[in-house]
Amino acid sequence: MQNTFTVTLVETTLLTPKVRHLKLKRHDGQPLEFTPGQFVSFHFPAVEGKEIRRSYSLAAIPGQSSHIELALGYVKGGLASETLFSAKPGDQFTLSGPYGRLVLRDENPQRYIMVATSTGITPYRSMLPALAARLNQVKAVILLGVQTRTDALYSADFLAYANQYPNLDFRLCYSRETEKEGFLPCEHLGYVQDQFALLNPSPDKDIVYLCGNPNMIDAAYDILKEKGFNAQQVRREKYVS
Ligand SMILES: Cc1cc2nc3c(=O)[nH]c(=O)nc-3n(C[C@H](O)[C@H](O)[C@H](O)COP(=O)(O)OP(=O)(O)OC[C@H]3O[C@@H](n4cnc5c(N)ncnc54)[C@H](O)[C@@H]3O)c2cc1C
């Protein structure tokens, strides 16, 4: 088994009606070193001899937390969802990682466009300080797509950064709201990829990150390919089991 370690659940809270925030700590007391954007994998007991692993992006904002923080969307009947949604402080789990390449690279495009559905926003949350450090040279647009206003996880964190950094534009897109009444300027009706019509992404100046629901990622990537983007300019992480 690769670099696994044991963790204890310290705290579990509901972020939205469908998303649970987990705070875990390592048994050895060490912090988990990771590059913002990476994920860890849970190793659950084997079922019928088959190893069960599920991955979750690391949500902690570096400098604000020494815990392993994760945001878990509930999938009814899902093995990990049912286990982790009913977990209690003190419960222990086996993890490995960090893994993943959905990270900021040593480059300065004119603009980053970072697109997420639901818990797909998690990697961008951990990137916030590193992204902010670049915002004197680059612009960034972060798009979070959820079904309704109550599903908008971590939006306060992104709005706080957007208020502090004029080069950061944070937009919320609701696929199942129908009325704009009472909306903040950052709130929009429709799918995240609908925002492309307003942002006019260009392969000459933009680097795009897509994270979360595979259908959103495929739909967004199709639009971007039509505009001339290649695979290196569009970094994708599909949340699949
Ligand atoms: C790199 C990576 C990072 C990820 N990060 C996160 C994260 O930060 N937060 C997070 O919540 N998830 C994340 N995921 C998804 C996560 O790993 C699990 O796939 C998810 O939690 C479902 O696992 P489960 O065991 O509860 O359901 P499963 O037992 O795997 O699935 C149960 C049933 O639900 C279906 N199903 C699975 N996922 C979904 C879904 N999202 N919506 C609807 N139906 C579904 C399955 O096809 C199956 O029929 C990530 C996945 C990857 C690959």
Side-chain angles (χ1 to χ4, degrees):
M1 202 182 256
Q2 49 204 307
N3 66 331
T4 56
F5 49 92
T6 309
V7 295
T8 303
L9 181 62
V10 176
E11 192 181 296
T12 161
T13 48
L14 272 182
L15 283 179
T16 76
K18 289 176 246 165
V19 179
R20 198 163 263 289
H21 185 84
L22 304 183
K23 274 190 190 175
L24 306 134
K25 70 170 184 206
R26 284 171 67 132
H27 265 200
D28 58 15
Q30 297 299 311
L32 179 70
E33 301 290 344
F34 71 100
T35 304
Q38 289 190 303
F39 63 88
V40 287
S41 293
F42 279 73
H43 297 240
F44 294 104
V47 175
E48 293 170 2
K50 218 175 138 195
E51 192 199 23
I52 306 287
R53 284 175 65 162
R54 294 289 185 274
S55 299
Y56 297 94
S57 300
L58 290 153
I61 300 177
Q64 286 190 15
S65 168
S66 58
H67 287 113
I68 296 168
E69 294 187 20
L70 310 170
L72 181 88
Y74 181 66
V75 174
K76 192 169 173 11
L79 188 141
S81 299
E82 298 297 350
T83 306
L84 295 174
F85 261 71
S86 58
K88 303 269 181 304
D91 288 355
Q92 296 184 5
F93 299 96
T94 303
L95 264 57
S96 67
Y99 306 107
R101 293 158 46 135
L102 192 85
V103 297
L104 289 172
R105 299 189 192 168
D106 194 9
E107 63 193 352
N108 277 326
Q110 283 184 39
R111 184 173 62 171
Y112 285 112
I113 301 178
M114 299 176 149
V115 188
T117 50
S118 188
T119 51
I121 197 69
T122 307
Y124 311 145
R125 183 180 189 250
S126 73
M127 286 179 197
L128 277 169
L131 186 64
R134 299 181 182 203
L135 288 173
N136 53 352
Q137 287 179 43
V138 304
K139 293 188 174 185
V141 185
I142 299 178
L143 307 175
L144 169 58
V146 289
Q147 292 181 340
T148 67
R149 279 186 123 183
T150 53
D151 298 320
L153 69 161
Y154 298 136
S155 56
D157 298 313
F158 289 92
L159 285 170
Y161 270 80
N163 284 337
Q164 195 181 341
Y165 296 93
N167 273 348
L168 176 62
D169 177 1
F170 174 64
R171 300 185 190 185
L172 282 159
C173 303
Y174 306 126
S175 59
R176 296 205 184 161
E177 297 284 359
T178 50
E179 292 295 329
K180 290 180 94 163
E181 207 179 304
F183 269 19
L184 298 169
C186 67
E187 297 180 288
H188 302 267
L189 296 177
Y191 291 110
V192 270
Q193 60 271 28
D194 298 345
Q195 292 295 311
F196 289 167
L198 304 169
L199 295 169
N200 199 18
S202 155
D204 298 329
K205 62 176 197 281
D206 296 320
I207 293 287
V208 183
Y209 286 69
L210 305 173
C211 188
N213 182 310
N215 296 330
M216 176 281 283
I217 292 180
D218 289 342
Y221 190 43
D222 283 347
I223 296 170
L224 294 165
K225 273 192 301 192
E226 291 248 313
K227 291 180 176 289
F229 281 82
N230 61 41
Q232 284 71 42
Q233 295 163 310
V234 185
R235 283 110 203 219
R236 289 163 285 164
E237 190 157 273
K238 292 185 177 180
Y239 280 4
V240 288
S241 290

